[in-house]
Amino acid sequence: MKSYEKVMGIDVSKKKLHLSLFDGTKHRQYQIENDISSMEEFLKQHPEEDFSHILFVMESTGVYHLRIALFLAKDLSYQVSVVNPLVIKKYAEMLLKRTKTDKVDARLIAQYGYHNSPPPFLVRDEESYELDQLLKGIEDLQLQMVTLKNQIEALTHQPYINQLMLTTYQEVLSQLKKKVKELEKEVKKIIANYAPQEFLLLKSIPGIGDRVAAALLAMLNRFEYFDNVKEVCSFCGLSPGSYQSGETVKKKRGIVKKGNRYLRKMLYVAALSASRYNPDCKRLYQRLLSKGRPKKVALVAVANKLLRQAFAVVKSGIPYDPNYLEKKMNLLPQTA
């Protein structure tokens, strides 16, 4: 783990960035606008600092941190780390901090980065970010469609129906359907240029459809930053966890829901299909049910299995084959 002589903690809000440059003993604090030009100007105003040897640390704050993180890491090749806000919260609690302001948070982030050297921010491909936006946009529009359908259904049960209101709902619903189809075409267009082979490999897995395959490729950046499947499961929040204290306090195992919520939800929905049509997942699902496990627990296990299959086919370049292990074992030399 690399250590740095100086760390720049950045507390990110929608409009402002509070900066704290920490050298292990003292802080120098600044405030700028949350935009690229302001950051460029700030860096020019401090030529005495070699920012290429300074670690920039910020919290993951929805989308507000992303432009600055990408500018520093991708455009300037600076060292950047983006940490979970929960980590900073727990760090503040450990230090018994009671005051919370933007300046105090920037100082805490800087101190945390200095003493812990968090992992680097992984820059995803441009297509990955675009696919992310499109997929979440499709989901948002479909939720609006569900709402409109419910409103139309409720309106048709009214004793007196205003035709203009009904027509308006129907026209908006029709327009949303059209836009969803356009966005889905755009997803396929980007996938065809970005990861066509990986997309087909993922689609070979029963239970993984177009949208789940696209989401995995987008949000996991084609699995390029993952060396093993445990890292992927942890990123998606599908890793099992347990709680034990002493000899008496024990809690049932469950998943650690501290990963990508969107992917976790997509994989859970995919597990509903995989538990019926994916041979390996079906066996796992039925085995867990036979042991008395709740259906939800079994489906989470299937989602984990699906993710492992996805990682395997992309990394190996071999399409899903339910008999792969048996075939592989037959190829091994027979022992006397």
Side-chain angles (χ1 to χ4, degrees):
M1 185 178 292
K2 184 177 180 180
S3 60
Y4 296 84
E5 292 184 2
K6 293 182 181 180
V7 172
M8 178 73 80
I10 306 178
D11 181 72
V12 180
S13 64
K14 182 178 180 179
K15 295 182 178 181
K16 301 289 184 181
L17 297 175
H18 287 82
L19 315 176
S20 182
L21 184 60
F22 183 58
D23 61 5
T25 56
K26 60 182 179 180
H27 293 267
R28 283 191 287 158
Q29 295 196 263
Y30 314 89
Q31 178 181 313
I32 63 174
E33 299 296 316
N34 186 359
D35 56 60
I36 301 300
S37 59
S38 297
M39 178 57 75
E40 286 180 316
E41 185 63 27
F42 170 78
L43 297 175
K44 289 178 182 178
Q45 290 175 353
H46 297 84
E48 73 281 1
E49 296 291 350
D50 184 2
F51 289 107
S52 63
H53 289 83
I54 291 176
L55 175 64
F56 291 80
V57 184
M58 63 192 76
E59 293 177 311
S60 175
T61 54
V63 297
Y64 297 131
H65 72 283
L66 201 51
R67 285 185 305 181
I68 296 299
L70 283 172
F71 171 68
L72 293 171
K74 184 178 180 180
D75 298 343
L76 301 182
S77 298
Y78 288 169
Q79 304 301 312
V80 178
S81 181
V82 177
V83 299
N84 191 315
L86 182 61
V87 172
I88 303 301
K89 180 181 179 182
K90 295 299 182 182
Y91 182 69
E93 291 175 356
M94 182 185 73
L95 297 179
L96 302 178
K97 297 290 185 181
R98 298 182 179 180
T99 303
K100 179 174 173 57
T101 65
D102 294 336
K103 289 184 177 181
V104 170
D105 286 349
R107 291 166 64 96
L108 274 172
I109 294 169
Q111 289 175 216
Y112 174 81
Y114 184 87
H115 293 295
N116 294 276
S117 296
F121 170 63
L122 302 178
V123 179
R124 287 159 48 186
D125 301 323
E126 182 178 339
E127 296 90 343
S128 170
Y129 289 109
E130 289 188 28
L131 285 169
D132 192 334
Q133 295 169 19
L134 287 166
L135 292 169
K136 290 179 179 177
I138 289 171
E139 183 181 49
D140 290 340
L141 293 183
Q142 288 182 327
L143 289 174
Q144 293 180 39
M145 287 166 59
V146 171
T147 300
L148 277 171
K149 288 177 181 178
N150 291 337
Q151 290 171 327
I152 291 171
E153 176 66 18
L155 192 60
T156 58
H157 286 80
Q158 292 280 358
Y160 306 103
I161 301 174
N162 184 287
Q163 194 59 41
L164 177 60
M165 191 69 259
L166 179 60
T167 302
T168 300
Y169 279 150
Q170 291 171 337
E171 288 177 352
V172 173
L173 179 60
S174 177
Q175 187 68 12
L176 286 176
K177 289 179 180 179
K178 179 181 177 182
K179 291 300 179 183
V180 166
K181 289 181 179 179
E182 290 178 4
L183 294 180
E184 288 175 338
K185 287 182 180 179
E186 182 68 10
V187 168
K188 291 182 179 179
K189 178 182 175 182
I190 294 176
I191 283 289
N193 294 320
Y194 176 56
Q197 194 63 35
E198 293 89 341
F199 184 72
L200 291 177
L201 288 168
L202 289 175
K203 286 289 298 298
S204 71
I205 302 173
I208 292 186
D210 289 358
R211 196 174 302 174
V212 176
L216 288 170
L217 292 172
M219 297 175 196
L220 299 176
N221 207 68
R222 297 183 294 189
F223 296 90
E224 289 180 352
Y225 292 131
F226 300 95
D227 296 323
N228 58 71
V229 73
K230 289 184 178 180
E231 293 176 350
V232 183
C233 292
S234 177
F235 180 86
C236 295
L238 285 171
S239 297
S242 60
Y243 181 91
Q244 179 176 344
S245 178
E247 297 296 324
T248 57
V249 182
K250 296 181 181 180
K251 295 184 179 180
K252 293 182 179 180
R253 292 172 62 87
I255 59 172
V256 181
K257 298 181 180 179
K258 293 181 181 179
N260 188 300
R261 184 185 304 173
Y262 181 82
L263 275 181
R264 189 164 61 247
K265 180 177 67 175
M266 294 282 282
L267 287 165
Y268 183 84
V269 173
L272 295 170
S273 174
S275 64
R276 298 176 61 189
Y277 303 111
N278 185 308
D280 294 316
C281 292
K282 184 177 181 179
R283 284 194 293 270
L284 173 63
Y285 181 68
Q286 292 177 343
R287 184 172 73 250
L288 292 175
L289 290 183
S290 67
K291 292 182 178 180
R293 300 291 177 85
K295 288 185 177 181
K296 187 174 181 180
V297 172
L299 285 172
V300 169
V302 170
N304 184 291
K305 183 76 171 179
L306 269 180
L307 188 56
R308 290 173 177 272
Q309 291 176 347
F311 179 83
V313 299
V314 171
K315 288 294 186 180
S316 67
I318 302 173
Y320 171 78
D321 181 356
N323 301 314
Y324 174 76
L325 288 178
E326 288 82 355
K327 292 178 180 178
K328 186 176 180 181
M329 292 298 293
N330 290 337
L331 293 176
L332 294 176
Q334 296 293 326
T335 57

